[in-house]
Amino acid sequence: MTTADTPSAPFTELVNLASRLLGAGVVATNEDTFADAENLLVAKPAEFRPHTFGHKGQIMDGWESKRRRGVSADQPHPTDQDHDWTIVRLGVGGVIRGVIVDTAHFTGNYPESAAVEAASVPGHPSPEELQAAEWTVVVPRTPLRGDTAHEFAVQDDTRYTHVRLSIFPDGGVARLRVHGEVLPDPRELDGLTFDLAAQEYGGVAEAASDRYFSSPHNLNAPGRASVMGEGWETRRRRDKANDWVQIALAGGGEVLAAEVDTTHFVANAPGWADLIGFDASTGDDPADGEWFEILPRTRLQPDTRHRFRLDVGRPVTHVRINVHPDGGLARLRLTGRLTEAGRAALALRWFDALPAAEAAAALAEAGLTAEEAAVLAAARPLANPAAATAAVADLQPADGPDGEHSARRRSALWRLLGV
């Protein structure tokens, strides 16, 4: 297998959880007189056009607050703690692995420093509810430079739904990126068929033979590609090999159908494609184990959405699309449903990543008592179904394998974690 390209910064290869394509949005800000906070989430790089003035000054492609002042002529400067802030709802809940605070084109008006906090608030909270939430610092207050993309790695395995960017004391930030691992609530996927490869559910393009013209992450991005550059395109091959992308699915599942989309690729679509799968739930590594056929090598047409019904007959955790010999694809969709084992594995990852109070609340909602829920939440991480079952068995009081309490606990654990 060809070695995939190595990213310059590992976390930037992960999904941008603050992408509007995934559903991210600015929930609230205390101040954006000069430039709207919503600009922080614009997908494309910031632009600057000199001498373009509006009623409030130079038009900036970013978020810019007005200049802070002190309380009196004797104290004209803001205090060290005065700051402006913006709260962003992540498009999907996930584990944050890195943040980019980009001050592109802000040279004489960038903040002196910035900090990023994160919170997990399920449902659809109001700005007031978010302000009252428990926030955790994921990027401590750090000095900033002008016209610079500041990359901050994050070491925190908690699942978050919102971030708050604070700037000290005021100024402008062009873009905010929050890269991480999507971790959906498995209860929202129960009984549904969905795109197992999609970014919004946790699918990741984890390796590719070539990314010369555009990223393989475009293959499982939300929505349809509007231009060729929003797909994945390789350079022209001069050997006898072929190009490929490997995608880790949202969870182990039954793949029912595939869509191989060459939209916008007219003179550079692949001639053929095939799909192979892998089941890592057996404990084997995709790099060493045996792959199996999902879709045989099939002729492709340019600028076309190809749809195929599939009969795989076994669980799949990873899929590799091989294109022959090279070229570009707009999207790859893999419609299916989680297997029981796939759903349980996803649920355990999700449960282990929840803040303690939220994990206990989910257990109580499933049917455990508040005391039982608190004890089980404190027993995390639950690395596998056996560990989860053992943790429930350890709850007190116990009344035997056929008793009322044991049956209720088993039922609650099945509803929530599928084990």
Side-chain angles (χ1 to χ4, degrees):
M1 182 169 119
T2 306
T3 302
D5 295 344
T6 302
S8 57
F11 75 74
T12 61
E13 281 293 290
L14 299 175
V15 173
N16 176 22
L17 302 174
S19 165
R20 277 201 170 277
L21 290 176
L22 289 173
V26 171
V27 176
T29 183
N30 73 310
E31 164 55 42
D32 59 354
T33 299
F34 275 122
D36 294 339
E38 282 79 7
N39 291 331
L40 286 170
L41 308 185
V42 172
K44 63 182 181 179
E47 299 177 348
F48 179 71
R49 299 178 182 178
H51 307 296
T52 52
F53 292 94
H55 293 297
K56 297 178 181 179
Q58 169 70 42
I59 297 173
M60 297 297 293
D61 185 8
W63 166 47
E64 187 180 3
S65 65
K66 62 186 177 184
R67 300 189 188 212
R68 280 184 171 269
R69 300 305 187 201
V71 295
S72 68
D74 294 331
Q75 297 179 340
H77 297 290
T79 71
D80 186 57
Q81 297 305 312
D82 285 341
H83 68 281
D84 294 318
W85 53 265
T86 291
I87 294 177
V88 173
R89 178 191 65 247
L90 300 179
V92 284
V95 178
I96 299 171
R97 298 303 185 193
V99 174
I100 298 177
V101 178
D102 187 358
T103 57
H105 308 300
F106 287 93
T107 55
N109 48 353
Y110 59 92
E112 180 184 63
S113 58
V116 181
E117 301 163 281
S120 180
V121 186
H124 308 93
S126 67
E128 292 75 21
E129 290 169 325
L130 289 169
Q131 288 282 32
E134 180 179 347
W135 290 87
T136 299
V137 175
V138 292
V139 177
R141 183 172 173 179
T142 305
L144 299 183
R145 298 184 300 274
D147 199 26
T148 301
H150 305 80
E151 297 185 357
F152 303 102
V154 175
Q155 303 296 326
D156 188 334
D157 292 330
T158 306
R159 178 185 186 268
Y160 293 113
T161 60
H162 296 75
V163 296
R164 179 166 61 193
L165 170 64
S166 296
I167 56 175
F168 299 84
D170 52 38
V173 174
R175 298 289 187 265
L176 175 68
R177 306 290 188 237
V178 183
H179 293 276
E181 300 160 7
V182 174
L183 203 48
D185 186 334
R187 298 170 296 184
E188 297 176 357
L189 302 176
D190 285 343
L192 301 180
T193 57
F194 61 97
D195 181 4
L196 292 166
Q199 288 179 5
E200 60 190 303
Y201 301 117
V204 178
E206 59 182 10
S209 62
D210 186 284
R211 58 185 75 208
Y212 188 80
F213 286 112
S214 48
S215 171
H217 296 295
N218 291 340
L219 270 187
N220 65 336
R224 297 188 61 193
S226 60
V227 295
M228 188 177 68
E230 293 180 2
W232 166 61
E233 185 183 3
T234 73
R235 74 193 88 191
R236 301 187 189 213
R237 276 197 171 268
R238 304 307 185 191
D239 57 20
K240 300 300 181 183
N242 68 279
D243 288 316
W244 52 267
V245 172
Q246 180 176 310
I247 295 179
L249 303 184
E254 179 186 3
V255 180
L256 304 173
E259 179 177 295
V260 181
D261 185 1
T262 60
T263 297
H264 305 301
F265 290 90
V266 177
N268 53 353
W272 298 264
D274 66 79
L275 293 168
I276 56 176
F278 189 85
D279 180 13
S281 64
T282 61
D284 293 334
D285 189 322
D288 304 318
E290 180 181 355
W291 291 69
F292 47 85
E293 183 178 88
I294 293 179
L295 177 72
R297 189 178 300 192
T298 302
R299 181 77 193 185
L300 298 183
Q301 299 299 323
D303 198 27
T304 300
R305 297 170 72 187
H306 307 77
R307 297 183 178 90
F308 307 100
R309 296 286 295 240
L310 303 174
D311 184 14
V312 181
R314 57 194 295 186
V316 181
T317 61
H318 296 72
V319 168
R320 189 186 307 159
I321 182 163
N322 294 302
V323 296
H324 304 271
D326 52 32
L329 298 176
R331 295 288 188 269
L332 173 66
R333 304 299 189 202
L334 298 169
T335 302
R337 51 180 170 246
L338 294 172
T339 62
E340 285 189 5
R343 197 275 188 193
L346 174 62
L348 281 175
R349 286 172 41 228
W350 164 79
F351 180 68
D352 279 347
L354 292 178
E358 192 176 340
L363 288 167
E365 184 180 338
L368 294 186
T369 67
E371 182 179 358
E372 291 170 335
V375 171
L376 187 55
R380 299 174 303 155
L382 306 175
N384 52 54
T389 302
V392 171
D394 288 341
L395 293 175
Q396 299 294 330
D399 56 359
D402 299 319
E404 177 184 348
H405 291 301
S406 295
R408 174 176 50 77
R409 291 168 182 162
R410 288 197 301 270
S411 178
L413 197 64
W414 174 258
R415 284 195 299 274
L416 184 66
L417 302 179
V419 297

